[in-house]
Amino acid sequence: MQSLHVMLKQRTSKVWVTKLLIATNVLVFLAMIVGGAGIWHSPNNVQLAWGANFGPATQDGEWWRLGSAMFLHFGVVHLVFNLWALWDAGQLVERMYGHVRFVGIYFMSGLAGNLVSLVIQGNSAVSGGASGAVFGIYGALLTFLWRERKSLAPHEFRWLFWGALAFASITIALGFIIPGIDNSAHIGGFVTGILASVIYAQSITAKVLPKKIALASACIMIASILMLILNIPAPKYRWSDEMLIRKEIDEFLQQDQAINRSWLEIMHESKQGSSTFDGLAGEIDSAIGDRYEESFEKLSQLPLDPALPSASKVEDLLEYAQHRKDESRQLAEKLRNQSLLVPPQ
């Protein structure tokens, strides 16, 4: 009996899609490192900036994150594990189903896995990685092997089928034990890979599945996706509001530094004795008090939903700006009073 590997290579000699997907994931990872991500661990803020899946962000009109998250990894170990699994199973599945069907299985599994992740932990975790898509590839591999088991040498079937099943089972089991693993994406991708492989059914014996089975799989997949969409939990806050607040906080901190530089200049000028008390008071009002008042007004207009992560920071900055404004006004008033006590020359 001819080896499965030989038959598949005769059928599809090149696995350029698998290689392209691996190269894309590596290039994105390298670009993220250049952009500030860590080699061993990438902070959530970097992942979010690059398009990770996160309930408040994804549901705030950024649904493209369900796709972009498939190419983001939280460290080199995460990347290497996923890409090793993709190479190990991907080259087989690409030859089993062909290039186009392989692409369909990969992206359908990845997108569905990220959708399940959004439903299960959308508000509590930032997620990313190719694992949902990779588990879909393993689901398609197991489906193909089970269908073709009578056409394969028993030892080859046992080695491939039980090896792939053990890998998928152990990895999912570890996901329930080790914190930080997005098991919802794994399971969602795995189930989607099985359903998609039935829809895209291929064989090495030219035996075709009845159309009603493929149609039933398509209906189950569509119904499941609709059910997931209807059960996406409401986001805790609007991501666009959080981004606006962070932008204003950064601008305030830059403004605060500029005001402090102005204050040092005024202090230096007062020591030189080149300005009157009244003149110094005017400079303090315009360069210190007015600018803090302007910053206070801008911060006051921000959406201050208590659920926003940066809401408490804004409250602190409002208190700080108010204090500095009042302090500068009082100092300016004292200088004006001092000016009134000084007799004209």
Side-chain angles (χ1 to χ4, degrees), residues 291-302 318 321-322 325:
R291 291 164 76 180
Y292 273 121
E293 185 170 358
E294 179 184 350
S295 295
F296 181 88
E297 292 299 326
K298 289 183 68 176
L299 291 174
S300 299
Q301 294 171 10
L302 293 174
L318 281 169
Q322 181 69 48
K325 181 190 71 171

Side-chain angles (χ1 to χ4, degrees), residues 32 43-74 109-130 132 182 184-186 232-233 237 239:
M32 289 179 66
N44 283 344
N45 63 321
V46 176
Q47 292 288 331
L48 285 167
W50 279 81
N53 189 24
F54 179 53
T58 304
Q59 294 181 71
D60 197 13
E62 298 181 0
W63 293 100
W64 48 266
R65 289 177 178 271
L66 294 174
S68 60
M70 294 167 57
F71 297 93
L72 308 181
H73 291 85
F74 285 78
S109 300
L111 290 169
N114 285 339
L115 181 59
V116 174
S117 176
L118 187 65
V119 172
I120 300 299
Q121 57 178 11
N123 279 309
S124 58
V126 177
S127 63
D182 190 0
S184 51
H186 294 175
I232 296 176
Y237 55 86
W239 182 247

Side-chain angles (χ1 to χ4, degrees), residues 126-283:
V126 177
S127 63
S131 52
V134 170
F135 268 85
I137 296 303
Y138 272 86
L141 172 63
L142 289 167
T143 303
F144 184 96
L145 291 171
W146 183 255
R147 284 191 61 218
E148 300 297 317
R149 63 191 182 280
K150 294 181 180 179
S151 305
L152 305 176
H155 71 278
E156 190 171 28
F157 170 78
R158 287 195 298 270
W159 172 255
L160 290 173
F161 183 85
W162 294 110
L165 184 60
F167 170 82
S169 302
I170 291 172
T171 306
I172 289 175
L174 289 174
F176 289 109
I177 300 171
I178 303 173
I181 294 179
D182 190 0
N183 233 9
S184 51
H186 294 175
I187 296 171
F190 186 72
V191 173
T192 303
I194 293 173
L195 294 172
S197 66
V198 174
I199 297 171
Y200 292 143
Q202 295 285 285
S203 73
I204 56 176
T205 59
K207 184 173 68 174
V208 180
L209 279 177
K211 289 185 178 179
K212 61 181 181 181
I213 295 180
L215 181 61
S217 294
C219 291
I220 291 172
M221 184 181 293
I222 293 171
S224 299
I225 289 173
L226 289 175
M227 183 181 68
L228 288 169
I229 292 173
L230 293 174
N231 284 278
I232 296 176
K236 291 182 178 179
Y237 55 86
R238 285 176 56 88
W239 182 247
S240 55
D241 288 345
E242 173 65 13
M243 289 295 95
L244 175 61
I245 287 178
R246 292 186 186 184
K247 176 176 175 291
E248 292 297 332
I249 287 175
D250 288 340
E251 290 183 2
F252 176 87
L253 295 177
Q254 292 176 10
Q255 176 80 324
D256 186 50
Q257 291 178 356
I259 294 173
N260 286 329
R261 287 193 295 269
S262 297
W263 172 250
L264 292 175
E265 291 173 2
I266 293 172
M267 291 293 293
H268 178 73
E269 186 178 338
S270 68
K271 291 178 181 178
Q272 297 294 320
S274 57
S275 296
T276 64
F277 289 130
D278 194 56
L280 289 173
E283 289 186 49

